[in-house]
Every structure is written in structure tokens, then in C-alpha cells.
Amino acid sequence: MPRLSFRRPPGAGAAGAQVLLAESALVERYADLVRLAYLVLPPSMGRHRRVLAAHGLVQRALPGGRPGPVRATVPAPRRKAGGADAALDLLRVEVLRTALARARRPRRWPARLATPADLVPRLPFVVGLRLFPRFGGVEEMVLGQALAGVSADARAVFVLRRLDGLPDTAARELLRAAGSADVEAAVRAAARLDASAGAQAATALAASREFDACTVQARPTDLLRRRRRVRLAGAAGAAVLLTVAALTVADRVTVPSEGPRDAVPARSVAAVPRPVDLVRTPPDAWARTSRVDFTAWPARGARTDDEALLARALTVWARPPAGTRPAYSPATAEDPPPASPRLLYAGDVGDRAVVLLFDGMRLARYGEPLGPEGPRTLDVSRADDADVTTAAAVAVDVRDGATRYLLAPWVAEARTRDLSRPNVPARPLTVARDGLTAPVPTLDGDCAGAGVLQLRSSSRIVEDHAFLLAGLGGLSPVHLTYTPLPVRGAPPARQPREATGPAALSAWSRLGCGGGALRGGGGVRAVNAWDFAEQRLPDGGGTAVWTCSRADTWRGVGDVRLSLRTAGAPARAVASEHSTAACSRFGQHIVVGARWRSPAGRWYLLAAGSRAVTGITVTEGRTGGVSASVAGRTLAVPAPRDARFRVTARLATGGTLDETGHRTGRR
């Protein structure tokens, strides 16, 4: 195997040419090398430290950037391709070597303490700012979580495959040259991740701003903490000077013993924004912007100029008084509001005053009684990356089994729908001029009553766009979508559709009402019902439909519930999984099995797979022997009621799939 070295032979002019080639390759491929380093570095470092570390690793990767020779074995085919490719490979090896070293913690090193390499100040060095890549979409968040779940070596192989387009042999050689302890294990882990992520991963890695450490946004550090540290440092410096002066004259002046002086208190509370600093969007801004979310909401309500009310709301958010426990939805930061949050609403709703604020990432709803008695409440929920549907309504008052919503200014029509009765038309909903709706029945476990909003956007935003929102207890109602069964000969549906058509309403009437798809709305952003398979049942049982309901949260992760719908019965949940990529863009293949009793009283094992499944195999849980195997996407075999089985599927790509969504074999 040819070897290339960064060693500078004395008096040899080739070393200078090698350095020039490496420098040229680094400048030309700087962004790709930084992205490689950023993705290989451990996510536990935090986005700011990873950005700076990635740039530092690449900038120090040139030959001569560290003492001593650096030998890196480069695959022979790439060696023969030319000096530029060889120089790029040497840079990759050096970046991988240092990034993998940063991912390994010394033995018995405290988990909460930074690694020795992190403790040494290195360029680039940033003071007073926090740098981090811009946020991507839900798919990028899912891919990021999947990358965080594998080793640094596996992430390196995955990025070299998907981003740089290298074959497995080249990736293996680069990883070996970088000092990886178990290259084959890393390649296998990357293959599993590659299979679950799908072909879209390459586009996400190359085009998404989520993984681009060269296109970053800056935010200030904690200004209050910085101010406190400066004051404390000044006080400490003054104390040192006084101590030195006292020691200097101690032999001439006797100072009486005194108790400790009052220390300078460190403020542990945040500064309260002023009502005059609140951002107020013009009333018609939503029709003149391409960003249709909460930033386009104007300030509405009869008390938007009540500075006393606004000051109380801001104070409770910044400094919750004793006895007040703000309610935060899952994965919502509990930091105080920034200096200038946005005012969305301030007015009286029933017997309470309500103030609605938005700080760019979170919604905050403050409530207080109009009379002398009653509790003050504060509810805070994530609302970043909202859109025309998820920013269309906010719950401002919940009481007596009903909810009143504040609708977005772009909502042209509002109706309510009884989800349990899909054939009954939606009923008009009364909306005040300020966007406040009449009380809407709260959606219960049986979906009784018209508890779902059916809204239509203004034609100035989207032409004829109707959508459903279901209130599940959070500030923002949940967006309901639907992905229909694949049609033979037609391309599969790539994106979920609005759940307003007859097929979608029929499916949701049985999934959400008794099927469990709409239970628990804490932090849930949207729920999609994907009908992935249809099956003829034995013994005259009719037709069954298999559905995967995926609840995506504001933080990006999702929970899935797999259901079986048979004629005349509510959907029956047969499996579930938490924090998974299944049934999303990065988990498009699925297989599941369930026991079922036919109208004749016989028990069967049913199984079904998604579009790419070409065969299903059932093995007995105790012996591991094959009980049944069929070609196609569905299976029905007689089975004891209490039998345990394992279901696997064959994919059109040549790989295999089990019920957990784990794929093996060829990509």
C-alpha cells in the first residue's frame, strides 16, 4: 500500500510542493472539511464549541501544523488520481485523527469536565458571542439525533460516504490512517444508519444549514451574567488592592478586629423587559411577508396599551413570584424572556385578563383574575419554526371543557368539526374582530363533540388551503395530516396531505377516537396518519388497513403508534415506539405483525409491510424456526392466541427489515 507522509525531508523541494498542494486543497474544500469535522466531533460539546473546534482542526491540518512526522495511508486508486486528491486525503486523515481524538475521553476523566484538549485555549477564539449553525427542519433534527446515537467513527464513515461520495474501501483506509480502533464496526454502524436515513440524507448533509458550520448565526452570551462577572471581578480586584495595602502597613498600623463586611450580592434574577420595549407588528405585515408565522401576528386586544398589565406579565415571566410555578411544555427552555419579546394579544377573556407574548422561540400566556382574588398563571411552550398551519391558532382560555382560541390574521374562515362523525359537515365558528373565537368543546378521549378546528387560509397567502387543528391541552393546537394508501402504478405520496378529504376524515374518525393517536398533546406539533398497507382478511373478515400515526414534537423527535383498522371497529393499537425516526422521511420502511380473531372464532397472525417490502417471514419466538414465509406485502397464517412470533421483511433493495425498523443488508 503506497504511503504518503507529511514529513519534510531535509533539503527536498518536494516538501514545499506538497505543502502548497495541501494548502490549495484546504482552501478549495475548506467548507467540506469543516462540515466533516463538525459532524465527527461529539455532540456533547455543544454547537458553539463544535463550530470553533471544527474550524480549528481544519486550520491546523496543514503539514507542519504540529511537530513530528504524520504518516497517513491513502488508498492506492486515489493516490494515483493525482497530487490534489492525495493532498485532500491527507487533510481528511489529519482532520479525522484529531476529531476522533477529541471524541475519546481519558480513562477516569470526569464526565462533566471538558477534555484536556478543550482546556487548552486555541484559535479561533471568540469572546462575547455564541456561534451556531442555523436550524434546519424536522428531518434534519431527526438525522442529527440519529448521528448522535452512533460512534464518532461511524459518523465519519457516514459523512465520507454521503457527503464526499467515497466508496467503502476508501473510507476504511482513511479511518485506519486516522487511528480508528475498530474500522469494521464503524462501517457496519454507518451502513445501518445509511439504510435508515435513506437517499435524502445526502441532500440534507450537503444542503441543510443545520450541519453547515461555515454559515453560522451569532447571539450574545448571557449579558446579565457577564455584567455580574465584571462587577465581581472589579470587586475582587479592589479587595486584592486593599489587602495588599493593609499588609503593607500592618507593621505600623493595628486594625481592630471586625466582623465581615457586607459582600456585593450577585443578582440571581433577570432584568425585566419594559412594556415600551415590546415589539408590535403592523396589522397588515402578514400579507407582505414571506415568513408567515408568529412574527407576522399583529398586537391585538383591547388592553395592548395597558402598561400596568403588560408590566405584570413581563415581571411574572422574568421573575416568577413566590407561590407561582410557571408551566413549561416538554423541552421548553425556562430562561427569562429577552429584552424585546413580541406582543401578540392583551385583553379580557371571560373573567380573566390574558397577555400573549412570543420571543422568537417560545409562546408565553399570562393570565390574571379581573377581581381581587384568583391565581396568576403563566404557560410557556416552544413554537420555533412554526408555519402557516402551526401558527394559525393559540389557546388563550381553557375552562369548563371548552377552549377559546386566538386565530392568526391570515385565517379567512373558521369552522369546527366533530372528528367522530366524518360525514357531518363542519359548522361555522363565531370569531370576533380581534380574532378571538367562541368556546370550542375540548377534544376528549372519545372525540365527542365538535372539538377540531377546520380553518382556511386567506387567498393572499395560500390559495384554497384548508387544514385541521386539534386542541390537546397545549398552547398551540396540533396539526392533523394524512398520507393515503399507495395506489398501484402511481408514485407514492412524498409529503403528508391535509386531513380534510373524505378518506382522511374517515381514517381519523377511527384513529383519533378510540385509537389513541390523539392522546397526550404535551409539546406535540403535528400528527400524521400514514395508511401504509391494505390487507384482505381470512374467514370473510373483510379488509383491514394498517396505519402508522407519527406525533412530531417541537423538539424534532417523534413517537409512533401502529394500528390495525378492521370493518366496523375502532382502530386497534398493535405497537408503539418512542423517540424514533420510523414513519418519517428518514424511516420510510416498516413491517409489523399482530394477532387477530376472525368472525369464525379462529386466531390468525397478520403482518403487513410498506411499499418497498417484497416478502415477509414469520419465525416462532421460542425456537427461532421459520413458521411461514410469503412473497408480497401482507401475510395471514393461523396461530395460537398466545403464540410469540418475530416478523421480518425483505426489501426491494435487497436488505431486510424487522419490526423495530432496523434494516440490514444492501442499501
Side-chain angles (χ1 to χ4, degrees):
M1 179 67 66
R3 288 186 175 271
L4 297 181
S5 173
F6 281 144
R7 177 176 297 171
R8 185 188 300 270
Q18 183 182 0
V19 172
L20 291 177
L21 282 175
E23 183 178 7
S24 176
L26 187 144
V27 172
E28 182 179 353
R29 300 293 297 274
Y30 182 80
D32 292 338
L33 291 170
V34 169
R35 193 187 301 253
L36 172 63
Y38 179 79
L39 290 170
V40 174
L41 286 168
S44 59
M45 293 178 61
R47 287 148 60 88
H48 172 77
R49 288 171 55 203
R50 286 172 69 195
V51 167
L52 296 181
H55 283 273
L57 296 186
V58 175
Q59 293 172 15
R60 291 189 294 273
L62 282 175
R66 67 184 186 90
V70 179
R71 289 194 170 269
T73 302
V74 179
R78 301 191 57 78
R79 170 82 162 84
K80 297 175 182 178
D85 284 342
L88 178 60
D89 283 337
L90 287 172
L91 292 173
R92 285 173 175 153
V93 168
E94 183 65 11
V95 169
L96 289 174
R97 185 191 64 78
T98 50
L100 293 176
R102 294 286 286 270
R104 304 185 188 102
R105 304 184 68 86
R107 182 177 298 180
R108 298 181 180 178
W109 191 262
R112 295 185 178 181
L113 188 63
T115 60
D118 295 329
L119 297 176
V120 179
R122 294 172 181 252
L123 294 177
F125 189 71
V126 177
V127 178
L129 287 176
R130 306 291 293 179
L131 305 179
F132 49 90
R134 296 182 178 274
F135 292 102
V138 174
E139 292 82 4
E140 286 80 1
M141 291 184 183
V142 174
L143 178 58
Q145 291 167 353
L147 288 169
V150 299
S151 66
D153 305 67
R155 290 196 298 271
V157 176
F158 182 81
V159 176
L160 291 173
R161 278 176 165 180
R162 284 299 189 179
L163 187 61
D164 295 341
L166 298 184
D168 287 349
T169 54
R172 283 188 176 93
E173 293 296 341
L174 291 174
L175 213 59
R176 287 194 183 97
S180 175
D182 194 344
V183 175
E184 296 304 322
V187 172
R188 290 192 297 269
R192 291 193 295 268
L193 178 61
D194 199 29
S196 62
Q200 294 85 355
T203 304
L205 283 176
S208 174
R209 55 189 180 181
E210 178 87 11
F211 310 111
D212 187 0
C214 288
T215 305
V216 297
Q217 53 186 349
R219 290 291 185 271
T221 56
D222 192 329
L223 299 178
L224 294 174
R225 182 180 299 175
R226 188 196 306 176
R227 188 180 304 170
R228 289 197 298 268
R229 288 176 176 174
V230 170
R231 291 176 178 175
L232 290 174
V240 170
L241 291 177
L242 289 174
T243 303
V244 172
L247 292 176
T248 303
V249 299
D251 57 339
R252 291 175 295 174
V253 181
T254 301
V255 181
S257 177
E258 296 181 358
R261 299 288 185 183
D262 292 335
V264 178
R267 295 175 56 193
S268 60
V269 293
V272 179
R274 300 174 302 171
V276 70
D277 296 327
L278 290 172
V279 178
R280 300 167 186 255
T281 303
D284 59 344
W286 63 271
R288 297 183 285 104
T289 180
S290 60
R291 182 178 177 181
V292 186
D293 56 13
F294 288 113
T295 61
W297 277 43
R300 291 175 288 174
R303 301 182 65 176
T304 54
D305 295 327
D306 189 338
E307 293 193 0
L309 172 63
L310 299 178
R312 290 193 296 272
L314 291 169
T315 300
V316 171
W317 192 3
R319 303 176 181 175
T324 301
R325 291 184 60 85
Y328 293 89
S329 66
T332 300
E334 299 184 11
D335 299 334
S340 303
R342 189 178 303 272
L343 177 62
L344 305 184
Y345 181 83
D348 297 338
V349 183
D351 60 353
R352 293 181 66 81
V354 176
V355 177
L356 194 64
L357 303 168
F358 178 65
D359 70 350
M361 297 286 290
R362 301 167 297 173
L363 279 172
R365 182 184 64 197
Y366 167 78
E368 67 178 26
L370 296 179
E373 297 182 357
R376 290 187 295 179
T377 59
L378 178 68
D379 299 274
V380 185
S381 175
R382 280 188 63 169
D384 50 306
D385 201 25
D387 55 24
V388 66
T389 57
T390 52
V394 176
V396 295
D397 185 59
V398 181
R399 71 178 73 191
D400 301 329
T403 303
R404 298 186 69 180
Y405 295 95
L406 183 66
L407 301 184
W410 56 81
V411 174
E413 180 184 81
R415 295 176 176 269
T416 59
R417 174 173 290 282
D418 188 343
L419 201 60
S420 64
R421 304 170 66 186
N423 297 324
V424 176
R427 295 182 295 184
L429 176 63
T430 302
V431 183
R433 295 188 61 181
D434 61 358
L436 195 63
T437 71
V440 177
T442 301
L443 195 66
D444 57 23
D446 296 327
C447 299
V452 174
L453 295 174
Q454 180 170 307
L455 307 179
R456 186 180 301 276
S457 299
S458 169
S459 59
R460 299 168 70 179
I461 298 295
V462 181
E463 186 68 29
D464 195 26
H465 180 212
F467 51 93
L468 298 185
L469 298 177
L472 300 183
L475 284 180
S476 300
V478 176
H479 183 204
L480 304 184
T481 57
Y482 175 70
T483 304
L485 283 165
V487 179
R488 186 180 298 274
R494 295 296 182 186
Q495 297 292 336
R497 304 174 182 179
E498 300 298 345
T500 54
L505 292 173
S506 176
W508 268 113
S509 68
R510 299 170 64 188
L511 289 168
C513 308
L518 292 181
R519 294 177 183 173
V524 176
R525 174 180 178 175
V527 181
N528 179 56
W530 172 31
D531 288 345
F532 63 89
E534 187 177 36
Q535 180 176 12
R536 294 291 302 175
L537 299 176
D539 295 345
T543 302
V545 176
W546 297 83
T547 305
C548 182
S549 303
R550 178 178 175 84
D552 281 306
T553 63
W554 289 98
R555 62 187 185 274
V557 299
D559 300 336
V560 300
R561 182 184 296 266
L562 296 161
S563 305
L564 177 65
R565 306 201 313 266
T566 56
R572 177 168 66 96
V574 298
S576 63
E577 190 170 352
H578 299 286
S579 299
T580 177
C583 305
S584 72
R585 177 182 173 186
F586 295 108
Q588 301 178 8
H589 307 302
I590 194 168
V591 65
V592 65
R595 288 181 290 274
W596 172 78
R597 187 178 183 182
S598 73
R602 288 187 284 267
W603 284 93
Y604 288 84
L605 174 67
L606 307 180
S610 52
R611 187 184 185 95
V613 171
T614 59
I616 298 177
T617 300
V618 177
T619 56
E620 205 280 326
R622 295 185 180 88
T623 65
V626 176
S627 300
S629 183
V630 298
R633 296 174 51 212
T634 60
L635 174 145
V637 293
R641 178 179 182 178
D642 58 349
R644 296 182 179 180
F645 293 90
R646 180 173 178 265
V647 179
T648 58
R650 299 183 299 277
L651 299 175
T653 58
T656 61
L657 180 73
D658 60 24
E659 288 184 278
T660 64
H662 173 68
R663 300 199 317 180
T664 59
R666 294 193 298 270
R667 285 179 288 171

